Amino acid sequence: MKFSNLLIPTLKEAPNDATLPSHIYLIRGGFIQGVGSGLYNFLPLGKMVLDRVKNVVKEELDNAGAQEVSLGFVTPASLWVESGRFEKYGKELLRFKDRKENDFVLGPTHEEMMVNLVKQTVKSYKQLPLNLYQINLKFRDEIRPRFGLMRGREFLMKDGYSFHANEEDMKREFALMEETYKRIFTRLGLDFRVVEADSGAIGGTGSKEFMVLADSGEDTIVVCKNCKYGANIEAAKSMPYVCKDEPPVAAFAKFSTPNIKTIDELSSFFKVNPYYIIKTVAKKALYDEGKEEIVLFFLRGSDELQETKALNSLNANDLIDINSDELEQIGLEAGFLGPLNLPNNIKTVFDNSLNSATNMICGANEKDYHYVGVDLKLDKDTIIDDIISVKEGDKCIHCGGSLYYTKGIEVGHIFQLGTRYSEPLRAEFLDENGKSKPFVMGTYGIGVSRLLAAIIEQHHDEKGCIWTKESSPFDICVIVSNIKDEKQSEIAFKIYNGLKEKNINALIDDRNERFGFKMKDYELIGIPYAVIIGKKVEEGIVELISRDGQVAREVNISNIIEMVADIV
RNA sequence: CGGAGUGUAGCGCAGUCUGGUAGCGCACCUGGUUUGGGACCAGGGGGUCGAAGGUUCGAGUCCUUUCACUCCGACCA
């Protein structure tokens, strides 16, 4: 392609709302164009990269035996009501009515549609297993779209769904998809980790996320220094912590603690490790059909509440903060909350670490008083669960190694769904014995447009993008230093045509611009290699450079095509 | 949702306090000079000043309403 014919609107300045390198460079390089909050147009270069990435995904999935389909973007709401997600999915689901006042949703993911498709066409175990996927637009009305392609509202996603006669076969496919995903991200040149994850609104168990390691990642992941364990903070587990400090042994008593409210204040007031103080976190939990209730979460003062785990312990849809006024209305005193003497009908959840805890200090549910010498005896009806965050330095549950935090960009997520959708949607097949059974399912997602952002987050410098081999819009760029110099121009086109004959995807910068201008554009756009045709053509020499700065050498014109063919 | 802020040319911004001809840089068009690190000279095009209403002889500027976008927050018992 000739640069002069392509629409590549590079910019010197980025819109000031772009903060991440990927966002800035994708816009400045003329790959994408913002059109609204979380909405982007793909310009020619962006579309080329998107297609290349999409192609890697498609090739590997087809290789693994999956089949591509394309489902309708607009989904009748009735399917979502049946699966129970019309309520559960929350405000991210864009709902609207057609002219006949029927409800529809814009698909944020397509379990319902795919189950429906298979339900109508697959009747026998002989037709299983089946793995169907699509690479299509999705829409999620995010609370706060940001960071360009990283968290848009409209985005390109590959979503795959597998259908099996039994659990074992689903697990086999799940493992196959894990391997396939690893191949995809490796081909794209990404440094990533596979981690254990929370299943969120999709549901199911045993899910894994594929995290591209980058400081700008929105997810915190917990990684073991010693073994291969890695998990999203929302799902991470560690060995129970044992406090070395002495417990504050005391007889049970009410203690005056005027205006002593926070864990820090209590810790210095009683001169004890926060480990021995019960922290109480009050939240309002929201459920289906607008039901809500106030819930008190109890944990050790040395721990922090992990909201996703807390949410899962209740099976609620969302947790929101409440203020001290709302607490007072139900007879609770902020700053002096505790598990004893609570008004009736208050829902409580205890962290595992508090089960049978002794010699604790906690709020007395009365202004300016705490209890000391508290021994917790939790009855069977109480919810006791893991609701705390793993901290850096905690011990790994697998090997005892030290755990640390790092940041990741979630580019893939695979789930073992089981019969979470097939049962409510009554998607069944006949097994060998002629018995009707729900499909056992898996579901597998890849954020295709997000991958572009992830690649740039990991591969850029202060000058611009550095695309990886399988993601770059072109293999090489031929830069003509001075297009008006006939000799340079002639040689450049000769090389360009020679490259094309070898099926090398080359771009030639034939614009009537100064050398520096073209170099800046080349560096911003980030094609992995360039051949520069400059003054030394008179001596039969051109220059071969790599965008990442590893290679810069003078090459004889007669050798250049072979040399390029070798490296790209 | 809570808090803060911003809407003026394709992009980045000034002008708003104190009402009086719509500005600057980049980009774009024409001509010329230039051609190894975002050139220079000369000329030029482009604006319902987010939208609606009001005050005024006169509104980008003051008042009211509204829309859009951005940032921050969601660990406090």
Coordinates of all heavy atoms in Angstrom, one line a residue, chain A residues 93-168:
Chain A
L93 N -26.7 -3.9 31.2 CA -27.4 -4.5 30.1 C -28.3 -3.4 29.5 O -29.2 -2.8 30.2 CB -28.3 -5.6 30.7 CG -29.1 -6.5 29.7 CD1 -28.2 -7.2 28.7 CD2 -30.0 -7.4 30.4
L94 N -28.1 -3.1 28.2 CA -28.9 -2.1 27.6 C -30.2 -2.7 27.1 O -30.2 -3.6 26.3 CB -28.1 -1.5 26.4 CG -28.8 -0.3 25.7 CD1 -28.9 0.9 26.7 CD2 -28.0 0.1 24.5
R95 N -31.3 -2.1 27.7 CA -32.6 -2.6 27.3 C -33.4 -1.6 26.5 O -33.3 -0.4 26.8 CB -33.4 -2.9 28.6 CG -32.7 -3.9 29.6 CD -32.8 -3.3 31.0 NE -31.7 -3.9 31.8 CZ -31.9 -4.9 32.7 NH1 -33.1 -5.3 32.9 NH2 -30.9 -5.4 33.4
F96 N -34.2 -2.1 25.6 CA -35.0 -1.1 24.9 C -36.2 -1.9 24.3 O -36.3 -3.1 24.3 CB -34.2 -0.4 23.8 CG -33.6 -1.4 22.8 CD1 -34.2 -1.7 21.6 CD2 -32.4 -2.0 23.1 CE1 -33.7 -2.6 20.7 CE2 -31.8 -2.9 22.2 CZ -32.4 -3.2 21.0
K97 N -37.2 -1.1 23.8 CA -38.4 -1.6 23.3 C -38.5 -1.4 21.8 O -38.0 -0.3 21.3 CB -39.6 -1.0 23.9 CG -39.8 -1.4 25.4 CD -41.0 -0.6 25.9 CE -41.1 -0.7 27.4 NZ -41.4 -2.1 27.9
D98 N -39.1 -2.2 21.0 CA -39.3 -2.0 19.6 C -40.6 -1.3 19.4 O -41.3 -0.9 20.4 CB -39.2 -3.3 18.8 CG -40.4 -4.2 19.1 OD1 -41.3 -3.9 19.9 OD2 -40.4 -5.3 18.5
R99 N -41.1 -1.1 18.2 CA -42.3 -0.3 18.0 C -43.5 -1.0 18.5 O -44.6 -0.3 18.7 CB -42.4 0.0 16.5 CG -42.7 -1.3 15.7 CD -42.2 -1.2 14.2 NE -42.9 -0.1 13.5 CZ -42.6 0.4 12.4 NH1 -41.5 -0.1 11.8 NH2 -43.3 1.3 11.8
K100 N -43.4 -2.3 18.7 CA -44.6 -3.0 19.3 C -44.5 -3.1 20.8 O -45.2 -3.9 21.4 CB -44.7 -4.4 18.7 CG -44.9 -4.4 17.2 CD -45.0 -5.8 16.7 CE -44.8 -5.9 15.2 NZ -44.2 -7.2 14.8
E101 N -43.6 -2.3 21.4 CA -43.4 -2.3 22.8 C -42.9 -3.6 23.4 O -43.1 -4.0 24.6 CB -44.7 -2.0 23.5 CG -45.2 -0.6 23.3 CD -44.4 0.5 24.0 OE1 -44.3 0.4 25.2 OE2 -43.8 1.4 23.3
N102 N -42.2 -4.5 22.5 CA -41.6 -5.7 23.0 C -40.2 -5.3 23.6 O -39.5 -4.5 23.0 CB -41.5 -6.7 21.9 CG -42.8 -7.2 21.5 OD1 -43.7 -7.4 22.3 ND2 -43.0 -7.5 20.2
D103 N -39.8 -6.0 24.7 CA -38.5 -5.7 25.3 C -37.4 -6.5 24.5 O -37.5 -7.6 24.2 CB -38.5 -6.2 26.7 CG -39.3 -5.2 27.6 OD1 -39.0 -4.0 27.5 OD2 -40.2 -5.7 28.3
F104 N -36.3 -5.8 24.4 CA -35.1 -6.4 23.8 C -33.8 -5.9 24.6 O -33.9 -4.9 25.3 CB -34.9 -5.9 22.3 CG -35.9 -6.5 21.4 CD1 -37.1 -6.0 21.2 CD2 -35.6 -7.7 20.7 CE1 -38.0 -6.6 20.3 CE2 -36.5 -8.3 19.9 CZ -37.7 -7.7 19.7
V105 N -32.8 -6.7 24.4 CA -31.5 -6.2 25.0 C -30.4 -6.3 23.9 O -30.6 -7.0 22.9 CB -31.1 -7.2 26.2 CG1 -32.2 -7.2 27.2 CG2 -30.7 -8.5 25.7
L106 N -29.4 -5.5 24.1 CA -28.2 -5.6 23.2 C -27.3 -6.5 23.9 O -26.9 -6.3 25.0 CB -27.5 -4.2 23.0 CG -28.1 -3.3 22.0 CD1 -27.1 -2.1 21.8 CD2 -28.3 -4.0 20.7
G107 N -26.9 -7.6 23.2 CA -26.1 -8.7 23.8 C -24.8 -8.2 24.4 O -23.9 -7.8 23.7
P108 N -24.6 -8.4 25.7 CA -23.3 -8.2 26.3 C -22.5 -9.5 26.3 O -21.3 -9.5 26.5 CB -23.6 -7.8 27.8 CG -25.0 -8.4 28.0 CD -25.7 -8.6 26.7
T109 N -23.2 -10.5 26.1 CA -22.6 -11.9 26.0 C -23.8 -12.7 25.5 O -24.9 -12.3 25.7 CB -22.0 -12.3 27.3 OG1 -21.7 -13.7 27.2 CG2 -23.0 -12.1 28.5
H110 N -23.5 -13.9 25.0 CA -24.6 -14.6 24.3 C -25.0 -16.0 24.7 O -25.3 -16.8 23.9 CB -24.3 -14.6 22.8 CG -24.6 -13.2 22.1 ND1 -24.4 -13.0 20.8 CD2 -25.1 -12.1 22.7 CE1 -24.7 -11.7 20.6 NE2 -25.1 -11.2 21.7
E111 N -24.8 -16.3 26.0 CA -25.2 -17.6 26.5 C -26.6 -18.0 26.1 O -26.9 -19.1 25.5 CB -25.1 -17.7 28.0 CG -23.7 -17.9 28.5 CD -22.8 -16.6 28.5 OE1 -23.4 -15.6 28.2 OE2 -21.6 -16.7 28.7
E112 N -27.5 -17.1 26.3 CA -28.9 -17.4 26.0 C -29.2 -17.7 24.6 O -29.9 -18.7 24.3 CB -29.8 -16.2 26.5 CG -30.0 -16.0 28.0 CD -28.8 -15.4 28.7 OE1 -27.8 -15.0 28.0 OE2 -28.9 -15.2 29.9
M113 N -28.7 -16.9 23.7 CA -28.9 -17.0 22.3 C -28.3 -18.4 21.8 O -28.9 -19.1 21.0 CB -28.2 -15.9 21.5 CG -29.0 -14.6 21.5 SD -30.5 -14.7 20.4 CE -29.8 -13.9 19.0
M114 N -27.1 -18.6 22.3 CA -26.4 -19.8 21.8 C -27.1 -21.1 22.3 O -27.2 -22.1 21.6 CB -24.9 -19.8 22.3 CG -24.0 -20.8 21.6 SD -23.9 -20.4 19.8 CE -22.4 -19.4 19.8
V115 N -27.5 -21.1 23.6 CA -28.2 -22.2 24.1 C -29.5 -22.4 23.3 O -29.9 -23.6 23.0 CB -28.6 -22.0 25.6 CG1 -29.6 -23.1 26.1 CG2 -27.3 -22.0 26.5
N116 N -30.2 -21.3 23.0 CA -31.4 -21.4 22.2 C -31.1 -22.1 20.8 O -31.9 -22.9 20.3 CB -32.0 -20.0 22.1 CG -33.4 -20.1 21.7 OD1 -34.2 -20.8 22.3 ND2 -33.8 -19.3 20.7
L117 N -30.0 -21.6 20.2 CA -29.6 -22.2 18.9 C -29.4 -23.7 19.0 O -29.9 -24.4 18.1 CB -28.4 -21.5 18.4 CG -27.8 -21.8 17.0 CD1 -26.9 -20.6 16.6 CD2 -26.9 -23.0 17.1
V118 N -28.7 -24.1 20.0 CA -28.3 -25.5 20.1 C -29.5 -26.3 20.5 O -29.7 -27.4 20.0 CB -27.1 -25.7 21.1 CG1 -26.9 -27.1 21.4 CG2 -25.9 -25.1 20.5
K119 N -30.3 -25.8 21.4 CA -31.5 -26.4 21.8 C -32.4 -26.8 20.6 O -33.1 -27.9 20.6 CB -32.3 -25.5 22.8 CG -33.6 -25.9 23.3 CD -34.2 -24.7 24.1 CE -35.6 -24.9 24.4 NZ -36.1 -23.8 25.3
Q120 N -32.5 -26.0 19.7 CA -33.4 -26.2 18.5 C -32.8 -27.2 17.5 O -33.5 -27.7 16.7 CB -33.7 -24.9 17.8 CG -34.6 -24.0 18.6 CD -34.9 -22.7 17.9 OE1 -34.8 -22.7 16.7 NE2 -35.1 -21.7 18.7
T121 N -31.5 -27.4 17.6 CA -30.9 -28.2 16.5 C -30.2 -29.5 17.0 O -30.0 -30.4 16.2 CB -29.8 -27.4 15.8 OG1 -29.0 -26.8 16.8 CG2 -30.4 -26.3 14.9
V122 N -29.9 -29.6 18.3 CA -29.2 -30.7 18.8 C -30.1 -31.5 19.7 O -30.6 -31.0 20.7 CB -27.9 -30.3 19.5 CG1 -27.2 -31.6 20.1 CG2 -26.9 -29.6 18.6
K123 N -30.3 -32.8 19.3 CA -31.3 -33.6 20.1 C -30.6 -34.8 20.7 O -31.2 -35.4 21.6 CB -32.4 -34.1 19.2 CG -33.1 -33.0 18.4 CD -33.9 -32.1 19.4 CE -34.7 -31.0 18.6 NZ -35.2 -30.0 19.6
S124 N -29.4 -35.2 20.2 CA -28.9 -36.5 20.6 C -27.5 -36.4 21.1 O -26.7 -35.5 20.7 CB -28.9 -37.4 19.4 OG -28.0 -38.5 19.6
Y125 N -27.1 -37.3 22.0 CA -25.7 -37.3 22.5 C -24.7 -37.5 21.3 O -23.5 -37.2 21.4 CB -25.5 -38.4 23.6 CG -25.6 -39.8 23.0 CD1 -24.4 -40.5 22.7 CD2 -26.8 -40.4 22.8 CE1 -24.5 -41.8 22.3 CE2 -26.9 -41.7 22.3 CZ -25.7 -42.4 22.0 OH -25.7 -43.6 21.5
K126 N -25.2 -38.1 20.2 CA -24.4 -38.4 19.1 C -23.9 -37.2 18.4 O -22.9 -37.2 17.7 CB -25.1 -39.3 18.1 CG -25.4 -40.7 18.5 CD -26.2 -41.4 17.5 CE -26.8 -42.7 18.1 NZ -28.0 -43.2 17.3
Q127 N -24.6 -36.1 18.6 CA -24.2 -34.8 18.0 C -23.2 -34.0 18.9 O -22.7 -33.0 18.5 CB -25.4 -33.9 17.8 CG -26.3 -34.5 16.7 CD -27.7 -33.7 16.7 OE1 -28.5 -33.9 17.5 NE2 -27.8 -32.8 15.7
L128 N -22.9 -34.6 20.0 CA -22.0 -33.9 21.0 C -20.6 -34.5 20.9 O -20.5 -35.7 20.5 CB -22.5 -34.0 22.4 CG -23.9 -33.3 22.6 CD1 -24.4 -33.6 24.0 CD2 -23.8 -31.8 22.3
P129 N -19.5 -33.8 21.4 CA -19.5 -32.4 21.9 C -19.6 -31.4 20.7 O -19.3 -31.8 19.6 CB -18.2 -32.3 22.6 CG -17.3 -33.3 21.9 CD -18.2 -34.4 21.5
L130 N -19.8 -30.2 21.1 CA -19.9 -29.1 20.1 C -19.3 -27.9 20.7 O -19.6 -27.6 21.9 CB -21.4 -28.9 19.8 CG -21.8 -28.2 18.5 CD1 -21.3 -28.9 17.3 CD2 -23.4 -28.2 18.5
N131 N -18.5 -27.2 19.9 CA -18.0 -25.9 20.4 C -18.2 -24.9 19.3 O -17.7 -24.9 18.2 CB -16.4 -26.1 20.7 CG -15.9 -24.8 21.3 OD1 -16.4 -23.7 21.2 ND2 -14.8 -25.0 22.1
L132 N -19.1 -23.9 19.7 CA -19.5 -22.9 18.7 C -19.0 -21.5 19.2 O -19.1 -21.2 20.4 CB -21.0 -22.8 18.5 CG -21.6 -24.1 18.0 CD1 -23.2 -24.0 18.1 CD2 -21.2 -24.4 16.6
Y133 N -18.5 -20.7 18.3 CA -18.0 -19.4 18.7 C -18.4 -18.3 17.7 O -18.7 -18.7 16.6 CB -16.5 -19.4 19.0 CG -15.7 -19.4 17.7 CD1 -15.2 -18.2 17.2 CD2 -15.4 -20.5 17.1 CE1 -14.4 -18.2 16.1 CE2 -14.6 -20.6 16.0 CZ -14.1 -19.4 15.4 OH -13.4 -19.4 14.3
Q134 N -18.3 -17.1 18.1 CA -18.5 -16.0 17.2 C -17.5 -14.9 17.6 O -17.1 -14.8 18.7 CB -19.9 -15.5 17.2 CG -20.4 -15.0 18.5 CD -21.7 -14.2 18.5 OE1 -22.1 -13.8 17.4 NE2 -22.2 -13.9 19.6
I135 N -17.2 -14.0 16.6 CA -16.4 -12.8 16.9 C -17.3 -11.6 16.5 O -17.3 -11.3 15.3 CB -15.1 -12.8 16.2 CG1 -14.3 -14.1 16.5 CG2 -14.2 -11.6 16.5 CD1 -13.0 -14.3 15.8
N136 N -17.9 -11.0 17.4 CA -18.9 -10.0 17.1 C -18.9 -8.9 18.1 O -18.4 -9.0 19.2 CB -20.3 -10.6 17.1 CG -20.7 -11.0 15.7 OD1 -20.1 -10.6 14.7 ND2 -21.7 -11.9 15.6
L137 N -19.6 -7.8 17.8 CA -19.7 -6.7 18.7 C -20.6 -7.0 19.9 O -21.5 -7.8 19.8 CB -20.4 -5.5 17.9 CG -19.6 -4.6 17.1 CD1 -20.5 -3.5 16.6 CD2 -18.5 -4.0 18.0
K138 N -20.2 -6.5 21.0 CA -20.9 -6.6 22.2 C -21.2 -5.2 22.7 O -20.4 -4.3 22.4 CB -20.1 -7.3 23.3 CG -19.8 -8.8 22.9 CD -20.9 -9.7 23.0 CE -20.6 -11.1 22.5 NZ -20.4 -11.1 21.1
F139 N -22.2 -5.1 23.5 CA -22.5 -3.8 24.1 C -22.7 -4.0 25.6 O -23.5 -4.7 26.0 CB -23.7 -3.1 23.5 CG -23.8 -1.6 24.0 CD1 -23.2 -0.6 23.3 CD2 -24.4 -1.3 25.2 CE1 -23.2 0.7 23.7 CE2 -24.5 0.0 25.6 CZ -23.9 1.0 24.9
R140 N -21.9 -3.3 26.4 CA -22.1 -3.2 27.9 C -22.1 -1.8 28.3 O -21.1 -1.1 28.1 CB -21.0 -4.0 28.6 CG -21.1 -5.5 28.4 CD -20.1 -6.3 29.2 NE -20.1 -7.7 28.7 CZ -19.2 -8.6 29.0 NH1 -18.3 -8.3 29.9 NH2 -19.3 -9.8 28.5
D141 N -23.2 -1.4 29.0 CA -23.3 0.0 29.4 C -22.5 0.2 30.7 O -23.1 0.3 31.7 CB -24.8 0.3 29.6 CG -25.0 1.8 29.5 OD1 -24.1 2.6 29.3 OD2 -26.2 2.2 29.6
E142 N -21.2 0.3 30.5 CA -20.3 0.3 31.7 C -20.5 1.6 32.5 O -20.9 2.6 32.0 CB -18.8 0.4 31.2 CG -18.3 -0.8 30.4 CD -17.9 -1.9 31.4 OE1 -17.8 -1.6 32.6 OE2 -17.6 -3.0 30.9
I143 N -20.3 1.5 33.8 CA -20.5 2.6 34.7 C -19.6 3.7 34.3 O -19.9 4.9 34.2 CB -20.1 2.3 36.2 CG1 -20.6 0.9 36.6 CG2 -20.5 3.4 37.1 CD1 -20.1 0.5 38.0
R144 N -18.3 3.4 34.1 CA -17.3 4.4 33.7 C -16.4 3.9 32.6 O -15.4 3.3 32.8 CB -16.5 4.7 34.9 CG -16.7 6.1 35.4 CD -15.7 6.4 36.5 NE -14.5 7.0 36.0 CZ -13.4 7.3 36.7 NH1 -13.4 6.9 38.0 NH2 -12.4 7.8 36.1
P145 N -16.9 4.1 31.4 CA -16.0 3.7 30.3 C -14.7 4.5 30.3 O -14.8 5.7 30.6 CB -16.8 4.0 29.0 CG -18.1 4.6 29.4 CD -18.1 4.8 30.9
R146 N -13.6 4.0 30.0 CA -12.4 4.8 30.0 C -11.2 4.0 29.4 O -11.4 2.8 29.0 CB -12.0 5.1 31.5 CG -11.8 3.9 32.4 CD -11.5 4.4 33.8 NE -12.3 3.5 34.7 CZ -12.2 3.5 36.0 NH1 -11.5 4.4 36.6 NH2 -12.9 2.7 36.7
F147 N -10.1 4.7 29.3 CA -8.9 4.1 28.7 C -9.0 3.6 27.3 O -8.5 2.6 26.9 CB -8.4 2.9 29.6 CG -8.2 3.3 31.0 CD1 -8.5 2.4 32.1 CD2 -7.7 4.6 31.4 CE1 -8.3 2.8 33.4 CE2 -7.5 4.9 32.7 CZ -7.8 4.0 33.7
G148 N -9.8 4.3 26.5 CA -9.9 3.9 25.1 C -10.5 2.5 24.9 O -11.5 2.2 25.4
L149 N -9.8 1.7 24.1 CA -10.3 0.4 23.8 C -10.3 -0.6 25.0 O -10.9 -1.6 24.9 CB -9.5 -0.2 22.7 CG -9.5 0.5 21.3 CD1 -8.7 -0.3 20.3 CD2 -11.0 0.6 20.8
M150 N -9.6 -0.1 26.1 CA -9.5 -1.0 27.2 C -10.8 -1.3 27.9 O -11.2 -2.4 28.2 CB -8.6 -0.3 28.2 CG -8.1 -1.2 29.3 SD -6.7 -2.2 28.6 CE -5.4 -1.2 29.3
R151 N -11.6 -0.2 28.0 CA -12.9 -0.4 28.6 C -13.9 0.4 27.9 O -14.3 1.5 28.4 CB -12.9 0.0 30.1 CG -14.2 -0.3 30.9 CD -14.0 -0.2 32.4 NE -13.2 -1.3 32.8 CZ -13.7 -2.5 33.1 NH1 -14.9 -2.8 32.9 NH2 -12.9 -3.5 33.5
G152 N -14.3 0.0 26.7 CA -15.3 0.7 25.9 C -16.6 0.1 26.3 O -16.8 -0.8 27.0
R153 N -17.7 0.8 25.7 CA -19.0 0.2 25.9 C -19.3 -0.7 24.8 O -19.9 -1.8 25.0 CB -20.0 1.3 26.0 CG -19.9 2.1 27.3 CD -21.1 3.0 27.6 NE -21.1 4.1 26.6 CZ -22.1 5.0 26.6 NH1 -23.1 4.9 27.4 NH2 -22.1 5.9 25.7
E154 N -19.0 -0.3 23.6 CA -19.1 -1.2 22.5 C -17.7 -1.8 22.2 O -16.8 -1.1 22.1 CB -19.6 -0.4 21.3 CG -20.0 -1.2 20.1 CD -20.4 -0.3 18.9 OE1 -21.6 0.2 19.0 OE2 -19.6 -0.1 18.0
F155 N -17.6 -3.1 22.0 CA -16.3 -3.7 21.8 C -16.5 -5.0 21.1 O -17.6 -5.6 21.0 CB -15.6 -3.9 23.2 CG -16.4 -4.8 24.1 CD1 -16.1 -6.1 24.3 CD2 -17.4 -4.3 24.9 CE1 -16.8 -6.9 25.2 CE2 -18.2 -5.1 25.8 CZ -17.9 -6.4 25.9
L156 N -15.3 -5.5 20.5 CA -15.4 -6.7 19.8 C -14.9 -7.8 20.7 O -13.9 -7.7 21.3 CB -14.4 -6.6 18.6 CG -14.6 -7.8 17.6 CD1 -15.9 -7.6 16.8 CD2 -13.4 -7.7 16.5
M157 N -15.7 -8.9 20.7 CA -15.4 -10.0 21.6 C -15.6 -11.3 20.9 O -16.5 -11.4 20.1 CB -16.3 -9.9 22.8 CG -16.2 -11.1 23.8 SD -17.0 -10.7 25.3 CE -17.6 -12.3 25.8
K158 N -14.7 -12.2 21.2 CA -14.9 -13.6 20.7 C -15.6 -14.3 21.9 O -15.0 -14.3 23.0 CB -13.6 -14.2 20.4 CG -13.7 -15.7 20.1 CD -13.2 -16.5 21.3 CE -13.9 -17.8 21.4 NZ -13.4 -18.6 22.5
D159 N -16.8 -14.8 21.7 CA -17.4 -15.6 22.7 C -17.7 -17.0 22.2 O -18.3 -17.2 21.1 CB -18.6 -14.9 23.3 CG -19.6 -14.4 22.2 OD1 -19.1 -14.0 21.2 OD2 -20.8 -14.5 22.5
G160 N -17.2 -18.0 22.9 CA -17.4 -19.4 22.5 C -18.2 -20.2 23.6 O -18.1 -19.8 24.8
Y161 N -18.9 -21.2 23.1 CA -19.7 -22.0 24.0 C -19.6 -23.4 23.6 O -19.7 -23.8 22.5 CB -21.2 -21.5 23.9 CG -21.4 -20.0 24.0 CD1 -21.2 -19.2 22.9 CD2 -21.6 -19.4 25.3 CE1 -21.3 -17.8 23.0 CE2 -21.8 -18.1 25.4 CZ -21.6 -17.3 24.2 OH -21.7 -15.9 24.4
S162 N -19.4 -24.3 24.6 CA -19.3 -25.7 24.3 C -20.4 -26.5 25.0 O -20.8 -26.1 26.1 CB -17.9 -26.2 24.6 OG -17.7 -26.3 26.0
F163 N -20.8 -27.6 24.3 CA -21.9 -28.4 24.8 C -21.5 -29.8 24.9 O -20.9 -30.4 24.0 CB -23.1 -28.2 23.8 CG -23.6 -26.8 23.7 CD1 -22.9 -25.9 22.9 CD2 -24.7 -26.4 24.5 CE1 -23.4 -24.6 22.8 CE2 -25.1 -25.1 24.4 CZ -24.5 -24.2 23.6
H164 N -21.7 -30.4 26.1 CA -21.2 -31.8 26.3 C -22.3 -32.7 27.0 O -23.2 -32.2 27.6 CB -20.0 -31.7 27.2 CG -19.0 -30.8 26.7 ND1 -18.0 -31.1 25.8 CD2 -18.9 -29.4 26.9 CE1 -17.3 -30.0 25.5 NE2 -17.8 -29.0 26.2
A165 N -22.1 -34.0 26.8 CA -23.0 -34.9 27.4 C -22.7 -35.1 28.9 O -23.6 -35.5 29.7 CB -22.9 -36.3 26.7
N166 N -21.5 -34.8 29.3 CA -21.2 -35.0 30.8 C -20.1 -34.0 31.2 O -19.4 -33.4 30.4 CB -20.8 -36.4 31.1 CG -19.6 -36.9 30.2 OD1 -18.6 -36.2 30.2 ND2 -19.8 -37.9 29.4
E167 N -19.9 -34.0 32.5 CA -19.0 -33.1 33.2 C -17.5 -33.3 32.7 O -16.8 -32.4 32.4 CB -19.1 -33.4 34.7 CG -18.4 -32.4 35.6 CD -19.3 -31.2 35.9 OE1 -20.4 -31.1 35.4 OE2 -18.8 -30.4 36.7
E168 N -17.1 -34.6 32.6 CA -15.8 -34.9 32.2 C -15.4 -34.4 30.9 O -14.3 -33.9 30.7 CB -15.5 -36.5 32.2 CG -15.4 -37.1 33.5 CD -16.0 -38.5 33.4 OE1 -16.8 -38.8 32.5 OE2 -15.7 -39.3 34.4

